[in-house]
């Protein structure tokens, strides 16, 4: 089988299973097998695949056709200009979550006097792959960043990513805020599970390959925000702030939880104009 035949076959197989972006995914999987860039496929389109390359490509297409996320097959996902290792132990970082890091960087730069970076203590709850914590440590190296997750498997992936990317982050295992009690933070950031039980059942089939605990936020999706609003005040410095990712339709409900506890809130949209991040102070 030549490269061009492989691309056509892969696309056809994925289309049979109604996989979106079938040609793009097939191309990337074949490029991964051949260890080349996607554009190189079109330059070498008449090259014959070896038996081993053919077998590996067919295995990749079979996995993608079963709704395995492309990122899990490739073992990587781009986030904030950095390449993160991902597998079934962690949630795949989404581009929408970049808004949280970008807003954090904007806030910190506004707070800094005379452009001099100051040391800031940051706790990232439900860190997963470490995408938020590592991005903050990468783009603001003087920050003292701690990443927390209940899953030891997720923390293993996060540590691996920090080592690969040269980011200094301390990792802790614990249930949400339990491992940071007794300390005071400048910022607490989080992308917690916020999908309701009902909505989770309606998710795209790829979602069910990701850890369910990274999505499920209780019957209405708000369980972790309730905990945060109830328990966060003693964990913040006087000028401390909380940045949270939310579902597109949760801004009013989450803001209300924090207003009841005396916090002021501000909502930021994602690139599609949907509510995505809440700042509470």
């Amino acid at each position: 089988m030549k490269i061009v035949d492989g691309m056509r076959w892969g696309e056809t197989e994925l289309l049979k299973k109604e996989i979106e972006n079938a040609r793009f995914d097939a191309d990337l999987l074949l490029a991964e097998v051949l260890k080349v860039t996607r554009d190189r496929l079109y330059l070498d389109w008449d090259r014959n695949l070896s038996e081993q390359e053919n077998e590996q490509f067919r295995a990749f297409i079979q996995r993608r056709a079963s709704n395995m996320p492309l990122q899990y097959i490739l073992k990587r996902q781009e986030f904030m200009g950095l390449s993160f290792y991902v597998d079934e132990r962690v949630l795949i970082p989404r581009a929408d979550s970049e808004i949280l890091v970008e807003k954090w960087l904007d806030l910190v730069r506004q707070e800094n006097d005379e452009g001099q970076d100051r040391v800031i203590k940051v706790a990232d709850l439900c860190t997963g792959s470490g995408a938020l914590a590592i991005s903050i440590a990468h783009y603001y190296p003087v920050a003292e960043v701690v990443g927390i997750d209940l899953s030891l498997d997720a923390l293993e992936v996060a540590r691996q990513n920090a080592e690969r990317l040269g980011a200094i982050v301390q990792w802790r295992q614990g249930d949400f805020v339990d491992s940071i009690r007794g300390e005071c933070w400048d910022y607490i950031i989080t992308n917690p599970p916020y999908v309701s039980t009902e909505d989770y059942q309606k998710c795209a089939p790829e979602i069910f390959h990701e850890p369910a605990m990274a999505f499920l936020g209780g019957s209405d999706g708000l369980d972790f925000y309730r905990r945060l609003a109830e328990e966060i005040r003693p964990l913040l410095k006087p000028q401390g702030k909380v940045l949270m990712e939310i579902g597109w339709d949760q801004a009013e409900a989450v803001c209300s939880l924090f207003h009841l506890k005396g916090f002021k809130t501000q909502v930021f949209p994602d690139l599609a104009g949907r509510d995505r991040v809440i700042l509470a102070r």
Side-chain angles (χ1 to χ4, degrees):
M1 184 164 62
K2 293 183 177 181
I3 285 178
V4 65
D5 298 323
M7 291 190 292
R8 291 169 179 164
W9 173 83
E11 179 185 18
T12 300
E13 291 301 302
L14 296 183
L15 285 173
K16 289 178 183 177
K17 300 298 184 178
E18 300 182 346
I19 302 296
E20 294 184 5
N21 304 313
R23 183 55 180 267
F24 180 77
D25 286 9
D27 284 3
L28 286 186
L29 291 171
L30 184 53
E32 178 68 15
V33 169
L34 300 179
K35 304 303 178 187
V36 299
T37 58
R38 185 190 181 204
D39 58 351
R40 192 72 205 178
L41 299 176
Y42 292 85
L43 296 175
D44 297 334
W45 61 273
D46 60 344
R47 179 198 139 182
N48 286 313
L49 300 179
S50 70
E51 183 177 346
Q52 182 179 0
E53 289 167 344
N54 184 42
E55 289 178 359
Q56 185 178 6
F57 179 54
R58 289 179 178 275
F60 278 179
I61 290 296
Q62 185 177 15
R63 293 176 68 192
R64 185 68 189 100
S66 69
N67 293 303
M68 173 72 72
L70 180 68
Q71 295 89 337
Y72 285 162
I73 303 173
L74 298 176
K75 302 298 184 185
R76 64 178 181 270
Q77 170 67 3
E78 297 294 316
F79 184 84
M80 288 296 295
L82 304 172
S83 181
F84 285 84
Y85 173 87
V86 293
D87 61 27
E88 292 88 337
R89 294 173 289 178
V90 295
L91 179 78
I92 298 167
R94 268 71 167 176
D96 287 340
S97 299
E98 293 183 354
I99 303 298
L100 193 153
V101 178
E102 292 167 355
K103 290 302 177 185
W104 183 88
L105 289 168
D106 288 344
L107 288 165
V108 170
R109 287 164 181 159
Q110 292 170 14
E111 295 166 356
N112 285 344
D113 296 327
E114 300 177 358
Q116 295 185 352
D117 292 346
R118 62 188 179 90
V119 176
I120 295 174
K121 289 187 62 178
V122 184
D124 172 25
L125 306 177
C126 307
T127 194
S129 67
L132 297 179
I134 291 169
S135 296
I136 286 173
H138 176 84
Y139 290 106
Y140 195 87
V142 298
E144 295 180 356
V145 186
V146 174
I148 300 102
D149 205 286
L150 181 61
S151 168
L152 288 173
D153 286 339
L155 289 174
E156 184 178 341
V157 174
R159 288 190 183 97
Q160 179 179 336
N161 279 319
E163 290 174 5
R164 287 179 55 255
L165 295 168
I168 299 176
V169 179
Q170 179 189 138
W171 306 105
R172 299 182 190 175
Q173 192 271 337
D175 183 11
F176 211 43
V177 301
D178 287 353
S179 67
I180 62 171
R181 296 188 191 280
E183 301 172 71
C184 287
W185 303 85
D186 295 290
Y187 279 90
I188 292 177
I189 64 171
T190 185
N191 178 16
Y194 57 69
V195 179
S196 70
T197 306
E198 180 180 356
D199 287 345
Y200 181 71
Q201 300 303 322
K202 302 174 184 176
C203 286
E206 282 85 355
I207 293 296
F208 300 109
H209 288 272
E210 299 184 68
M213 66 181 294
F215 289 100
L216 292 169
S219 60
D220 61 358
L222 300 176
D223 283 2
F224 285 86
Y225 303 108
R226 291 189 183 92
R227 290 184 59 185
L228 203 58
E230 185 69 32
E231 303 178 50
I232 202 69
R233 187 177 292 278
L235 305 178
L236 292 172
K237 294 182 180 180
Q239 301 301 318
K241 302 175 182 68
V242 185
L243 273 171
M244 305 160 276
E245 181 171 334
I246 58 168
W248 65 272
D249 58 349
Q250 293 177 325
E252 182 177 355
V254 174
C255 286
S256 295
L257 291 173
F258 281 83
H259 293 163
L260 289 172
K261 299 299 179 179
F263 285 83
K264 297 180 180 178
T265 60
Q266 186 176 358
V267 182
F268 300 102
D270 59 22
L271 295 177
R274 299 167 299 190
D275 294 336
R276 183 57 59 188
V277 170
I278 292 178
L279 168 68
R281 64 177 87 205

